[in-house]
Amino acid sequence: MTVPYKHEPFTNFATEDNKKAFQDALAYVQTQLGKEYPLVIGGERITTEEKAISINPANKEEVIGSVSMADQELAEKAMQAALTTFETWKKWKPEHRANILFRAAAMMRRRKHEFSAYLVKEAGKPWKEADADTAEAIDFLEYYARQMLTLKDGIPVNSREGELNQFHYIPLGVGIVISPFNFPLAIMAGTTVAALVSGNTVLLKPANSTPVIAAKFVELMEEAGLPAGVLNFVPGSGSKIGDYLVDHPKTRFVSFTGSREVGCRIYERASKVNPGQIWLKRVIAEMGGKDTVVVDKDADLELAASSIVYSAFGFSGQKCSAGSRAVIHQDVYDAVVEKVVALTKTLTVGSPEDVNTYMGPVIDEKSYNKIMSYIEIGKKEGMLLAGGEGDDSKGYFIQPTVFADVDEKARLMQEEIFGPVLAICKARDFDHMMEIANNTDYGLTGALISNNREHIERAREEFHVGNLYFNRGCTGAIVGYQPFGGFNMSGTDSKAGGPDYLLLHMQAKTTSETL
Ligand code: NAP
């Protein structure tokens, strides 16, 4: 008997005990830096010559760890291990698979600050962001385990006199899980365990910039009792082993979270039926966003400003749900812009190890250069009102940057920058606001700040995003409360942390017996 699902609470760092516990965790992780992490294939630990060197984005000199990288030969070995193990794992009772997730959740809860401290070090997450990432990973473990228990007996269908009909879900096979750097624990763990608890075996390829936290998670799953070969850890270059695994005829499905560019590539390649392949592959793709906070003229203007600022700059704007655009009604435009700029200027930028830091670095040099080049584009497309500067001497720091008076079709309003850059655009009326809100290729999250009931109901219908929020920011979805995933070029319309997510990893079998 399991207790009802309730999401993992966030840590209150205002209390001295919690602060001390987190500082202790950071000090512990400091003693663990620089270690080597092997591949794990069929339970065997394999060390390779080629390594991904994970560095602290806030301090380029500091090495978090070095992680062995799989080549195609080792990727093939992992595929064979996963294929063999699938034959036994698929026969495990769903409730026994779920128990491993419950155990892993309990273990991660006990080591919560340790996992968060790795996120501070490896991903540059400030305390609160790291704590939320770990809480979400725990939530995924708890929630998907519970979901499996509700699905294990299938769904009732009609039987007739003399005929017994049943409808059950069975697993698919070997899944390739490819995860991004920005929720290197929550998304990596969530996509992995959804596949596992449904009875599939997995090859996990984490993002190259955050492989150590993934290695720690794989260790935890082993300690929680996952049999060898069920979860195979194959870090490697996306371009070297990514295509190989996506194209592989024995790959049954790919669960990808990352950029639109890579997601579209995977979707296209996975659609080709290769020699020896006897199914059509499934692709679950969660891709980018260009998310908007819309401010109506009947709005609480303080709430509007804080919703815009915290949605734009949380984790340095490196969330797929980041509110990188604000669309403001002309009647309140000047007042809201002024508040946004004032609030932005209060944000602290610095080492994520300091509890008082609001914004840490961006993930790496490539991101830093890309974001700085968008700031140059912004200087031509809008009026720079805050930030605009970066400093990559020690780590990859960029000031929270605000551009106002940006045209609705400008690049800053259309392209995912994935950094701390906010574009603000003026709207004539509510029709115009909805038109701008829907004018990108994406459809991930959005928010409307308004006290006008008619406009709230209209937005509920017209604002075409997977996650729409009223009178709050557009980030921070919680597993089991706000299932998460977007429309259009934001992905394949799946909802992580939602009641139908596990079904994407299974197929239904109908049996009919004449009695
Ligand atoms: P990314 O560059 O697309 O990388 C994502 C993953 O794909 C990494 O593990 C990467 O490996 C791998 N990869 C690269 N090339 C590949 C290939 N040819 N075949 C297979 N895999 C390949 O994305 P990111 O920069 O890590 O993450 C940021 C992006 O993720 C943003 O666009 C954001 O909006 C999106 N995102 C979406 C959601 C959502 O739920 N919709 C959630 C989080 C993030 P390497 O690291 O080795 O390149």
Side-chain angles (χ1 to χ4, degrees):
M1 187 56 203
T2 53
V3 288
Y5 172 75
K6 194 160 170 268
H7 80 86
E8 183 67 17
F10 302 126
T11 308
N12 175 8
F13 291 116
T15 75
E16 283 308 314
D17 283 356
N18 288 342
K19 219 190 274 182
K20 166 90 174 50
F22 203 88
Q23 270 154 353
D24 289 349
L26 279 169
Y28 168 73
V29 166
Q30 189 71 36
T31 68
Q32 301 297 303
L33 298 187
K35 286 195 171 171
E36 288 198 6
Y37 297 87
L39 310 180
V40 183
I41 297 179
E44 187 188 343
R45 288 176 147 59
I46 298 172
T47 303
T48 60
E49 289 273 302
E50 201 188 352
K51 304 263 194 310
I53 308 296
S54 170
I55 62 148
N56 180 346
N59 175 7
K60 297 185 267 183
E61 305 286 296
E62 190 168 71
V63 173
I64 307 304
S66 60
V67 181
S68 285
M69 304 249 277
D71 54 14
Q72 287 187 7
E73 203 179 307
L74 287 164
E76 181 59 37
K77 187 177 162 81
M79 172 57 81
Q80 294 308 323
L83 281 167
T84 307
T85 317
F86 178 61
E87 295 308 316
T88 50
W89 180 241
K90 69 180 182 189
K91 294 181 188 145
W92 271 52
K93 282 188 170 180
E95 49 271 53
H96 293 173
R97 298 195 299 254
N99 283 343
I100 295 178
L101 271 62
F102 286 129
R103 176 136 196 261
M107 290 165 62
M108 194 183 286
R109 196 173 285 119
R110 286 194 285 273
R111 292 169 54 193
K112 194 169 169 180
H113 294 332
E114 178 195 333
F115 275 93
S116 300
Y118 273 105
L119 291 164
V120 171
K121 284 286 191 184
E122 191 174 40
K125 292 210 167 194
W127 290 28
K128 261 177 79 173
E129 300 286 345
D131 184 63
D133 195 330
T134 308
E136 190 176 359
I138 296 169
D139 286 344
F140 278 131
L141 287 158
E142 285 282 342
Y143 182 79
Y144 290 142
R146 282 172 166 72
Q147 283 301 310
M148 196 62 230
L149 298 183
T150 69
L151 291 169
K152 70 184 171 55
D153 298 322
I155 291 180
V157 290
N158 294 320
S159 289
R160 297 180 289 194
E161 202 180 326
E163 180 187 87
L164 173 66
N165 298 321
Q166 285 176 317
F167 183 85
H168 277 106
Y169 292 106
I170 62 170
L172 292 172
V174 177
I176 312 298
V177 174
I178 302 174
S179 56
F181 79 83
N182 70 330
F183 282 86
L185 181 56
I187 291 181
M188 179 273 306
T191 47
T192 299
V193 301
L196 296 179
V197 79
S198 313
N200 306 288
T201 51
V202 162
L203 270 57
L204 168 63
K205 196 217 92 59
N208 241 350
S209 41
T210 52
V212 169
I213 190 79
K216 299 304 292 180
F217 169 74
V218 170
E219 282 172 15
L220 180 100
M221 292 306 290
E222 285 180 335
E223 287 166 32
L226 201 65
V230 175
L231 171 56
N232 300 281
F233 184 52
V234 285
S237 143
S239 48
K240 277 196 199 148
I241 64 161
D243 287 349
Y244 180 78
L245 290 172
V246 169
D247 295 348
H248 202 291
K250 297 291 182 195
T251 292
R252 184 64 183 82
F253 67 99
V254 182
S255 176
F256 167 80
T257 312
S259 61
R260 167 182 178 170
E261 188 197 351
V262 176
C264 289
R265 180 188 178 91
I266 289 174
Y267 192 72
E268 187 182 339
R269 295 188 80 104
S271 70
K272 184 166 184 298
V273 177
N274 289 313
Q277 186 178 325
I278 57 164
W279 46 63
L280 299 175
K281 288 171 194 167
R282 243 185 240 179
V283 175
I284 308 162
E286 313 258 12
M287 308 184 327
K290 189 71 192 172
D291 312 307
T292 318
V293 177
V294 177
V295 181
D296 204 354
K297 69 174 174 176
D298 303 311
D300 172 338
L301 303 190
E302 296 294 336
L303 174 68
S306 62
S307 302
I308 291 170
V309 170
Y310 298 126
S311 302
F313 301 124
F315 187 39
S316 310
Q318 300 172 108
K319 297 184 190 181
C320 50
S321 57
S324 55
R325 336 190 293 162
V327 175
I328 305 174
H329 191 286
Q330 58 180 355
D331 290 2
V332 293
Y333 184 83
D334 291 342
V336 175
V337 169
E338 193 182 314
K339 287 178 194 300
V340 164
V341 171
L343 186 57
T344 301
K345 288 184 173 164
T346 68
L347 302 180
T348 47
V349 181
S351 167
E353 288 179 49
D354 181 340
V355 64
N356 298 314
T357 292
Y358 178 76
M359 241 177 67
V362 300
I363 192 69
D364 58 18
E365 189 181 357
K366 194 168 150 229
S367 286
Y368 178 88
N369 290 337
K370 178 181 162 197
I371 298 161
M372 291 309 291
S373 73
Y374 269 105
I375 289 177
E376 289 311 309
I377 294 167
K379 287 177 185 167
K380 298 191 190 89
E381 290 187 336
M383 195 164 49
L384 177 65
L385 296 182
E389 277 161 19
D391 177 359
D392 62 348
S393 51
K394 185 165 189 237
Y396 304 107
F397 294 95
I398 299 177
Q399 293 296 323
T401 298
V402 178
F403 288 103
D405 302 349
V406 184
D407 184 83
E408 61 197 70
K409 292 279 164 49
R411 288 184 65 188
L412 236 56
M413 284 287 288
Q414 295 294 322
E415 297 172 17
E416 188 183 48
I417 301 170
F418 226 58
V421 181
L422 168 68
I424 307 182
C425 170
K426 191 187 284 185
R428 291 185 301 274
D429 53 24
F430 194 72
D431 284 341
H432 192 207
M433 284 159 131
M434 287 298 98
E435 192 187 312
I436 303 172
N438 290 330
N439 79 355
T440 74
D441 295 348
Y442 297 103
L444 191 46
T445 76
L448 171 65
I449 315 298
S450 176
N451 288 317
N452 181 321
R453 176 50 49 188
E454 193 195 322
H455 288 174
I456 289 177
E457 296 310 334
R458 264 191 64 191
R460 209 186 292 276
E461 299 288 321
E462 295 173 27
F463 199 155
H464 192 60
V465 291
N467 284 63
L468 178 60
Y469 304 98
F470 298 113
N471 290 318
R472 52 160 284 185
C474 62
T475 61
I478 291 184
V479 172
Y481 292 67
Q482 292 110 11
F484 186 82
F487 302 147
N488 296 348
M489 276 300 164
S490 293
T492 47
D493 317 311
S494 54
K495 281 282 188 280
D500 55 3
Y501 188 71
L502 291 189
L503 297 178
L504 302 171
H505 307 75
M506 295 188 278
Q507 52 197 339
K509 182 167 184 173
T510 301
T511 57
S512 181
E513 181 180 353
T514 303
L515 300 173

